[in-house]
Amino acid sequence: TYTLDDVTGIARALTGWQRTGEASSFDKWQLPLKHHAPDHEQGEKQFLGITIPAGTDGPTTLRITLDHIANHPNVGPFIGRQLIQRLVTSNPSAAFVQRVAATWADNGQGVRGDLFAVVRAILIDAEATDDATLTLDDYGKIREPMMRFAQWARTFNASDPSGAYNIPDLSD
């Protein structure tokens, strides 16, 4: 799908962005990035069949890059599979992924990349709502290890009397 040259080209396109918060502040992870023009690669950038001309400013380069990636034919199936695995089943059928990818490509009103429509398509798909699928051996979602641990800790009201381990309130 992509080559090392594509990865290098995208890396060049994404140069110049930095955090806006103080280095010691937790907020730095929550604030938007800001563009620092002197750190932006000014040369031509080529990746995934597109060329961004030399001298294009950072914000414009970012918009072009993200738009081009979002329009790549592999994005719909990739996002569809990832969301299905998180929301419905760990082992979706190819047909389920394809139906969701089709919704990514066109939400029914000619709009590409409508995430609301994609999630709706996942949750109302026959494969997600059909009672017969619940009896299949390879259907369902396996809980991730951290979620399993949090459930165990909530179930048994885990705590650390010694204070050696910080176990936060897991009630919610």
Side-chain angles (χ1 to χ4, degrees), residues 66-81:
L66 294 178
D67 286 347
H68 189 68
I69 291 171
N71 285 309
H72 194 275
N74 288 350
V75 172
F78 177 79
I79 288 178
R81 176 178 278 295

Side-chain angles (χ1 to χ4, degrees), residues 59-119:
T60 303
T61 299
L62 177 65
R63 184 187 48 75
I64 293 168
T65 300
L66 294 178
D67 286 347
H68 189 68
I69 291 171
N71 285 309
H72 194 275
N74 288 350
V75 172
F78 177 79
I79 288 178
R81 176 178 278 295
Q82 296 295 315
L83 286 173
I84 292 167
Q85 288 177 326
R86 299 309 179 276
L87 299 173
V88 177
T89 181
S90 297
N91 191 24
S93 71
F96 191 2
V97 173
Q98 200 57 34
R99 288 189 299 272
V100 172
T103 303
W104 172 268
D106 182 353
N107 70 352
Q109 298 176 341
V111 177
R112 180 178 177 84
D114 181 351
L115 205 50
F116 182 80
V118 169
V119 172

